[in-house]
Amino acid sequence: MSNGTARTPFPVEYKRGRPKAHRADQVQLCAQALCLEEMTGRAVSEGALFYGEQRRRHVIAFDDGLRGLTEATAAAVHAMIATGRTPPPEYAAAKCGSCSLIAVCQPRRLAKPVEVAAWLVRQLGD
Ligand code: SF4
């Protein structure tokens, strides 16, 4: 219920695991903040990531560096979508080990087309 005073949005993103070695979670949260700023016309200076394994909330400041990284990432995604092609998965333990999509992405399997080619040659014979 509204008490008549507008509040500054404070986005909170819940993650099952723990903080990662890269900044993808921060970029996701910052993207939410940019959307909230556009929707409400209010500056959103910070938000939080909550990690289930730690049961801790990490406050994230949306500084110029994170905003720039988020905008550059959004531009790169738009450019990728414009090509109409999804890039092939590239397995890296630091990112894939904590990715919730790994079961459907299967980056290790799809990153080995040479083995598939060899399997086909074996099946088809000479
Ligand atoms: S599992 Fe797939 S979607 Fe997830 S980080 Fe790895 S390559 Fe990306």
Side-chain angles (χ1 to χ4, degrees), residues 22 88-92 95-108:
H22 52 71
E90 293 178 14
Y91 178 79
K95 64 182 177 79
C96 301
S98 57
C99 179
S100 60
L101 296 175
I102 194 165
V104 290
C105 177
Q106 301 190 16
R108 277 184 277 212

Side-chain angles (χ1 to χ4, degrees), residues 23 90 110 126:
R23 302 189 75 190
E90 293 178 14
L110 294 175
D126 292 316

Side-chain angles (χ1 to χ4, degrees), residues 65-107:
L66 181 54
R67 285 172 184 268
L69 177 60
T70 303
E71 288 168 359
T73 301
V77 170
H78 279 288
M80 184 197 72
I81 291 171
T83 68
R85 298 188 61 135
T86 305
E90 293 178 14
Y91 178 79
K95 64 182 177 79
C96 301
S98 57
C99 179
S100 60
L101 296 175
I102 194 165
V104 290
C105 177
Q106 301 190 16

Side-chain angles (χ1 to χ4, degrees), residues 9-15 25 28-30 32-33 36 44 46-51 56-60 62:
F10 186 90
V12 178
E13 176 70 20
Y14 289 82
K15 299 293 183 190
D25 292 347
Q28 180 187 11
L29 185 69
C30 187
Q32 294 169 8
L36 286 167
V44 179
E46 59 184 20
L49 294 166
F50 180 89
Y51 290 98
R56 276 196 57 211
R57 181 186 269 211
H58 299 254
V59 174
I60 306 296
F62 303 129

